[in-house]
Amino acid sequence: DQQVKQNSPSLSVQEGRISILNCDYTNSMFDYFLWYKKYPAEGPTFLISISSIKDKNEDGRFTVFLNKSAKHLSLHIVPSQPGDSAVYFCAATAINDYKLSFGAGTTVTVRA
Amino acid sequence: EAGVTQFPSHSVIEKGQTVTLRCDPISGHDNLYWYRRVMGKEIKFLLHFVKESKQDESGMPNNRFLAERTGGTYSTLKVQPAELEDSGVYFCASSQGLGGWDEQYFGPGTRLTVT
């Protein structure tokens, strides 16, 4: 059963605008959430994370929001740049666990 | 510092044949993970090594898959005999500590095509 879901397979956004990626999870044991970014022919690379004790974490142009009651998180990229065009994976795990549960990914295309 | 490397980058084999994938983790990383992404779907956990010991192989699809980690260094994942549904991208990752919060560094993956 898929415990992490990214329901939007793709997103197209104009350069300079905001990109919003969404992710839902079902396992209430998850308490640590990550976003990974993947370029073609490369492995996923860590982007940003958030623990369940927070509802927001910011790193430069990237901000992740967590709504535990809704079991929902989102990644905001502001402003979007052409180099942000990639596949973004949402992942989750528990503090006392190690394996990551991933979503299916959202392909972001930033238009010039 | 070298990242996680995987070999081969791409393998095409016929159904029934055997394939062995190799992963070299970042030096000093005790934790090594295998994941698989099939047909553009989610990346799924296969198994986890701590040094040479298998900590969790709950994600291994069936007994046609065999993973080893010799001396706690590189790891191999053998598929024997391969089936069509084994096609996908196999990622290896490594990390220093134990816990999902510890950043896992991924290799570029091996794309396996079974025909």
Side-chain angles (χ1 to χ4, degrees), chain A residues 25-40:
Chain A
Y25 62 96
T26 57
N27 190 339
S28 58
M29 298 300 293
F30 288 152
D31 51 14
Y32 194 72
F33 305 90
L34 311 90
W35 286 92
Y36 276 78
K37 178 179 180 179
K38 183 186 175 307
Y39 291 118

Side-chain angles (χ1 to χ4, degrees), chain B residues 46-109:
Chain B
L46 296 178
L47 86 159
H48 169 219
F49 285 99
V50 177
K51 298 185 180 179
E52 68 276 6
S53 300
K54 292 177 186 175
Q55 283 294 111
D56 181 358
E57 49 186 331
S58 62
M60 296 287 262
N62 50 62
N63 59 11
R64 295 185 294 103
F65 289 74
L66 175 64
E68 294 180 326
R69 189 178 183 193
T70 307
T73 55
Y74 71 92
S75 174
T76 58
L77 180 64
K78 181 192 288 187
V79 185
Q80 179 183 29
E83 297 289 345
L84 298 179
E85 64 265 24
D86 301 332
S87 295
V89 181
Y90 290 76
F91 293 105
C92 175
S94 70
S95 70
Q96 271 189 318
L98 184 61
W101 66 89
D102 192 34
E103 183 176 345
Q104 295 184 22
Y105 296 83
F106 282 76

